[in-house]
Amino acid sequence: MPKYAESTLASILEAVRSYYPEGRTELIEKAWHFAEKAHSTQKRASGDPYILHPTDVAQLLAELKLDIASIITGLLHDTVEDTGATLEEIAELFGSEVAELVDGVTKLNKITFKTTEEKQAENFRKMILAMSKDIRVILVKLSDRLNNMRTLEHLAPHKQQAIAQETLDIYAPIANRLGIGWIKQELEDLSLRYLHPDVYYKLAKEISMKKAEREKYIEEFCDTLQEKLSEYDIQALIAGRAKHFYSIWKKMERRRAELDQVNDLIAFRIVVDNITECYKSLGVIHAAYKPVPGRFKDYIAIPKPNGYQSLHTTVIGPFGERIEIQIRTQEMSQIAERGIAAHWKYKEGRFDLRSRENVEWVNRLVEWHKDLKDPAEFLETVKIDLFAEDVFVFTPKGSVKQLSHGATPLDFAYAVHTDVGHRCVGAKVNGKIVPLRHRLKSGDTVEIVTSPSQTPSKDWLKIVKSSRAKAKIRAYIKQQERDRAKELGGEIFEKQLRHYGVSLAKLEKSGDIERAFEYFGVKTMDEFFIHIGYGRITPEYFIEKFVPKEAIERQKEIQDKKHAEDASFLKRVIQSAKRRTEGRNAITVANLDDVLIRFGRCCNPLPGDSIVGFITRGRGVTIHHATCSKALDMDQDRRVEVAWNIRKAVESGHAIKRNVRIRILSLDAPGLLALMSQTISACSVNITSANIRTTKDQKAIAIFDLEVSDLGQLQKVTQALEAKKGVIAVERTRS
């Protein structure tokens, strides 16, 4: 037994006994020995025994004060996925409850998927369904991810970045939704370390240099606050802390400033005995220091969806600096640290049912799981929903609706009912008529005006913010496109049949249609017509297979004349092999040769980006970035599998150069534009255009259009620019 694992197991058992004295801790020891044996031949990427990982995961779960079943699951979570252990074996040794939790955490590694994106989406779907039944699944998964992020330095750089990005997109927001602040913050900081190492280590160095000065300031201001509250007989625990790196970096980006220009880097927390003293403390602070308008938030009266409660205010401090102060009770403080885990009931051995109200967003994720079949759209919807802060608005009858931050009356309409959203023509907010793109605020009363003749449009996708509204609008538009494809496909098919003197009724009577359905893999006539309308089945191919040869020869001349007019979408995209097309040699289209290729100008994908292809009538296959909003809005029946084929392009003598635009935010300093240009040129990248403008706050925004060979070269340029003094942020733009 490794000494570290042995001491960690002992600390786990001690921790569990401290908060759950009646728990059967001998089962934890049994599970540890089972995991050690199962993983005995395995090593981590660091070379350490694998058992250290599940042991550390279990320790994190003990820190959250979870139950015995959760901690056992933490020890066993990789056994089914990575060893010969089975769920049946785990159920027999540790009970069905543990087996179900382990199954919920286990990824779908034994199933073959077409793309990495599809695998990621389906793994997340499985986890969503499991956590909707038992929220402990995601608590184990969060602990697993946190330990993996803590040891990420042992993996290859490309794996580090992929895992860090997924953590930032999915797991940190989930920790936030569950109210576990410390896990959320550590995941964000670790993600920043691997996604933007230059930013991370620069912040670490600069903040470390001012540590002594910061600690002195915190101590003095805490003493000052303590004196002012004591004057009103308020007993309080007061502490100050520096904000975490990711939070500071986002603040620098929002304000377009360097670190020394951001003065509210410290947050103070006041913990009092009861709610009355929370508001009393707020009055004392506002009397002593001038509050910053618009920066007061009452999360006690209206808690966050994750159950978080506190008063937040920002005031102007003694030296003119901004100071953020949070005021809460001891119970609120526990919930802020442990989130949903603070609602645990040990006698029943399950979560307090009241805490289910705090995970309403899980039900929304389950709804997306049912409605959204396309992996890219599903993942994008989940990311939007997880990141959004919520606002609370009222119906005219006083019911509360919880919406995403930035929601509009259209979002509200879809929250009421899908049909209300589809028929929405206007809205009144607090009795006044407002445009549909009006942004709602907590406390607004919203009334929707509808019309039976109204239908959704694609423009609505630019207005709505909530995942539900976007999904419903997209579904409606896609259904309309399917209906048009069905109608067009039917017209094309029957028109072609008439050229050969054959009727649809005759084919149905002879049974040829049923045979064709089986041959083409469709089940209904509507589906058959839709495939023709989208170009996935060509009438010519059907005729070749199922119409008598005499009729084909008799009508060949007519067919040749009408071919160009009546050919399906797919025939229109296939071009002669001699035709030179944009990116032809760089892209492989599944099962198709000599296809006209063009790149979407909306997202301008680079080699190395995740991409998708869509058949576009008369314009071949258009390549989009996998997360492009236009691609998400397109009907997935028109989607085709595409992939980069860089080697083929190089072998054929076609050097790949793709245009990309970057935006650089920097200080307005002499010679900085020249420095940026030199830095870009030093990376062997050609600049096709450059534009720079200054802002009122002495910043500069530079826009460069570059020619790069792939995503790796762009990242090299970005990192080189970020390392230059005076550069605040570098980002790729899509417009």
Side-chain angles (χ1 to χ4, degrees):
M1 178 188 294
K3 290 184 178 180
Y4 172 79
E6 184 177 6
S7 62
T8 305
L9 175 61
S11 67
I12 292 170
L13 297 173
E14 183 180 354
V16 173
R17 291 179 187 125
S18 70
Y19 65 79
Y20 198 2
E22 67 271 29
R24 294 183 59 194
T25 54
E26 69 274 9
L27 286 177
I28 296 176
E29 292 187 75
K30 180 180 177 182
W32 190 92
H33 288 291
F34 181 91
E36 184 191 32
K37 183 178 180 181
H39 293 295
S40 60
T41 61
Q42 296 174 333
K43 300 282 187 182
R44 301 209 75 194
S46 62
D48 292 328
Y50 196 90
I51 188 60
L52 298 185
H53 169 62
T55 305
D56 286 340
V57 171
Q59 185 175 40
L60 287 169
L61 294 167
E63 288 177 28
L64 289 171
K65 299 185 178 179
L66 292 190
D67 66 327
I68 300 292
S70 299
I71 292 170
I72 291 174
T73 302
L75 291 168
L76 304 179
H77 75 276
D78 277 337
T79 54
V80 173
E81 185 178 328
D82 296 337
T83 76
T86 65
L87 287 172
E88 292 76 16
E89 188 177 4
I90 289 173
E92 183 180 347
L93 292 172
F94 303 102
S96 59
E97 181 184 17
V98 170
E100 288 174 7
L101 289 172
V102 171
D103 185 42
V105 179
T106 301
K107 294 195 288 288
L108 306 174
N109 281 349
K110 296 182 181 179
I111 300 177
T112 302
F113 297 101
K114 295 179 182 177
T115 64
T116 302
E117 183 181 69
E118 182 182 350
K119 181 177 181 179
Q120 184 187 28
E122 292 311 312
N123 277 322
F124 195 64
R125 286 182 197 271
K126 179 177 185 285
M127 190 172 68
I128 286 171
L129 289 177
M131 64 193 266
S132 69
K133 298 174 183 176
D134 195 324
I135 202 68
R136 290 175 293 178
V137 167
I138 193 59
L139 295 175
V140 175
K141 191 62 185 174
L142 281 174
S143 300
D144 174 43
R145 179 53 60 108
L146 178 55
N147 182 253
N148 282 330
M149 288 297 294
R150 286 175 174 177
T151 56
L152 202 59
E153 72 270 15
H154 301 292
L155 298 184
H158 71 280
K159 289 186 177 180
Q160 290 175 345
Q161 292 200 346
I163 293 171
Q165 190 63 58
E166 183 185 54
T167 300
L168 199 59
D169 288 345
I170 300 292
Y171 291 98
I174 286 179
N176 182 48
R177 283 287 186 175
L178 292 173
I180 312 173
W182 67 273
I183 289 184
K184 174 235 182 194
Q185 291 176 6
E186 188 171 350
L187 288 176
E188 287 177 341
D189 280 356
L190 289 168
S191 297
L192 179 65
R193 175 182 170 186
Y194 292 102
L195 292 174
H196 300 284
D198 295 339
V199 172
Y200 179 88
Y201 288 110
K202 183 179 179 182
L203 279 176
K205 181 179 178 181
E206 292 182 4
I207 290 173
S208 176
M209 289 170 61
K210 297 182 178 181
K211 183 179 179 182
E213 178 185 335
R214 184 174 64 251
E215 289 178 347
K216 181 181 178 183
Y217 175 83
I218 289 173
E219 182 181 354
E220 290 177 352
F221 193 71
C222 283
D223 291 342
T224 302
L225 285 178
Q226 195 81 61
E227 290 175 8
K228 293 185 181 300
L229 293 175
S230 296
E231 290 176 13
Y232 294 88
D233 297 324
I234 299 174
Q235 300 299 315
L237 296 173
I238 304 174
R241 59 172 179 81
K243 294 181 178 178
H244 65 296
F245 289 0
Y246 184 80
S247 173
I248 295 172
W249 177 60
K250 296 301 286 186
K251 192 180 292 288
M252 289 168 60
E253 282 204 316
R254 277 197 307 272
R255 298 183 186 176
R256 299 173 180 176
E258 290 279 78
L259 180 65
D260 56 8
Q261 295 174 301
V262 179
N263 55 22
D264 53 340
L265 299 179
I266 301 172
F268 289 87
R269 182 175 303 155
I270 298 173
V271 180
V272 294
D273 291 336
N274 53 60
I275 292 177
T276 301
E277 290 194 340
C278 287
Y279 289 99
K280 190 176 177 181
S281 300
L282 178 70
V284 172
I285 291 166
H286 280 184
Y289 303 101
K290 185 178 180 180
V292 177
R295 294 300 303 271
F296 168 65
K297 294 181 180 179
D298 188 344
Y299 293 120
I300 293 179
I302 303 178
K304 288 187 177 184
N306 59 21
Y308 175 89
Q309 287 184 290
S310 188
L311 296 178
H312 286 200
T313 187
T314 301
V315 298
I316 304 299
F319 305 106
E321 75 283 16
R322 291 188 174 198
I323 301 173
E324 182 181 311
I325 299 175
Q326 302 166 0
I327 309 169
R328 60 183 69 149
T329 66
Q330 186 62 46
E331 182 182 0
M332 293 173 191
S333 189
Q334 290 178 2
I335 292 173
E337 290 300 316
R338 293 176 51 220
I340 196 170
H343 293 275
W344 192 261
K345 275 190 176 179
Y346 294 104
K347 289 184 180 179
E348 286 84 354
R350 59 180 174 80
F351 276 107
D352 184 343
L353 293 177
R354 288 173 299 178
S355 69
R356 296 293 297 177
E357 299 171 4
N358 299 328
V359 288
E360 177 60 30
W361 56 274
V362 175
N363 296 330
R364 295 207 296 267
L365 294 182
V366 173
E367 185 178 342
W368 307 148
H369 156 74
K370 294 176 182 176
D371 292 346
L372 304 176
K373 303 304 180 186
D374 176 63
E377 188 176 351
F378 171 70
L379 283 175
E380 188 68 17
T381 300
V382 165
K383 291 173 187 178
I384 292 171
D385 194 63
L386 285 176
F387 270 114
E389 290 289 335
D390 291 340
V391 296
F392 299 86
V393 296
F394 297 91
T395 68
K397 294 183 178 180
S399 299
V400 178
K401 292 291 180 183
Q402 182 178 324
L403 302 173
S404 302
H405 176 72
T408 65
L410 261 181
D411 292 290
F412 177 86
Y414 278 101
V416 173
H417 194 278
T418 301
D419 287 339
V420 175
H422 286 348
R423 308 302 174 200
C424 178
V425 293
K428 291 182 180 180
V429 174
N430 303 325
K432 295 181 180 179
I433 296 175
V434 298
L436 291 180
R437 61 178 65 253
H438 174 84
R439 293 183 66 172
L440 300 175
K441 302 187 296 293
S442 288
D444 284 344
T445 298
V446 187
E447 181 182 352
I448 299 298
V449 181
T450 61
S451 168
S453 60
Q454 178 69 296
T455 57
S457 73
K458 280 192 175 181
D459 290 337
W460 284 12
L461 290 167
K462 300 175 184 177
I463 296 175
V464 296
K465 299 295 182 183
S466 67
S467 301
R468 174 184 174 83
K470 286 182 183 290
K472 296 300 181 183
I473 294 168
R474 283 173 177 155
Y476 181 90
I477 292 170
K478 289 175 183 178
Q479 186 57 50
Q480 294 297 101
E481 291 181 350
R482 285 175 64 85
D483 290 343
R484 286 195 292 270
K486 182 180 73 173
E487 182 180 354
L488 179 62
E491 289 177 3
I492 292 174
F493 185 64
E494 294 194 44
K495 189 174 183 179
Q496 285 288 81
L497 289 181
R498 285 197 297 272
H499 289 316
Y500 294 90
V502 180
S503 69
L504 185 58
K506 184 176 180 181
L507 290 173
E508 288 178 323
K509 186 176 181 180
S510 67
D512 285 336
I513 280 291
E514 284 75 12
R515 290 192 296 111
F517 284 0
E518 184 178 353
Y519 182 82
F520 290 113
V522 298
K523 296 179 180 179
T524 65
M525 186 66 73
D526 285 351
E527 187 180 355
F528 182 63
F529 286 160
I530 288 170
H531 279 305
I532 292 175
Y534 281 139
R536 294 187 177 279
I537 298 175
T538 64
E540 292 87 349
Y541 193 57
F542 171 87
I543 288 164
E544 179 185 332
K545 290 288 183 183
F546 297 99
V547 171
K549 289 185 178 180
E550 311 84 68
I552 294 175
E553 292 173 358
R554 188 170 59 249
Q555 298 297 331
K556 189 175 186 302
E557 183 178 350
I558 298 174
Q559 180 187 18
D560 290 341
K561 290 180 180 179
K562 295 292 184 180
H563 177 78
E565 177 184 351
D566 297 332
S568 70
F569 294 166
L570 191 55
K571 282 290 183 181
R572 292 174 191 270
V573 306
I574 299 180
Q575 306 295 319
S576 69
K578 295 179 181 180
R579 183 172 180 177
R580 295 181 64 85
T581 64
E582 179 190 7
R584 170 178 155 202
N585 292 289
I587 297 290
T588 299
V589 181
N591 302 320
L592 296 175
D593 294 319
D594 300 326
V595 178
L596 178 65
I597 296 293
R598 58 190 298 272
F599 292 96
R601 305 303 180 194
C602 48
C603 54
N604 209 16
L606 298 176
D609 283 332
S610 298
I611 54 173
V612 292
F614 288 88
I615 297 171
T616 309
R617 188 178 185 184
R619 300 169 76 180
V621 173
T622 303
I623 308 300
H624 289 272
H625 194 285
T627 61
C628 175
S629 58
K630 284 193 176 181
L632 294 174
D633 294 341
M634 292 182 183
D635 195 317
Q636 299 304 309
D637 282 339
R638 292 165 53 191
R639 179 171 173 171
V640 291
E641 292 298 325
V642 294
W644 293 105
N645 194 343
I646 310 303
R647 180 179 296 178
K648 180 180 177 183
V650 173
E651 289 174 352
S652 63
H654 292 83
I656 299 174
K657 288 292 180 183
R658 299 285 302 137
N659 293 323
V660 65
R661 175 170 291 180
I662 61 172
R663 176 182 179 275
I664 306 171
L665 176 67
S666 67
L667 301 178
D668 184 12
L672 203 52
L673 179 60
L675 177 63
M676 294 176 190
S677 301
Q678 292 168 5
T679 302
I680 294 170
S681 299
C683 296
S684 302
V685 170
N686 184 41
I687 302 172
T688 58
S689 72
N691 180 272
I692 190 166
R693 62 181 175 86
T694 57
T695 63
K696 293 180 181 179
D697 57 349
Q698 296 184 324
K699 302 293 187 307
I701 297 175
I703 305 294
F704 284 93
D705 289 327
L706 312 176
E707 283 185 345
V708 298
S709 57
D710 56 28
L711 186 61
Q713 190 175 34
L714 175 61
Q715 290 172 341
K716 180 181 177 182
V717 172
T718 300
Q719 291 173 359
L721 288 167
E722 287 176 338
K724 299 302 178 184
K725 185 177 181 180
V727 173
I728 299 170
V730 183
E731 63 178 353
R732 174 182 175 184
T733 66
R734 301 225 170 121
S735 61

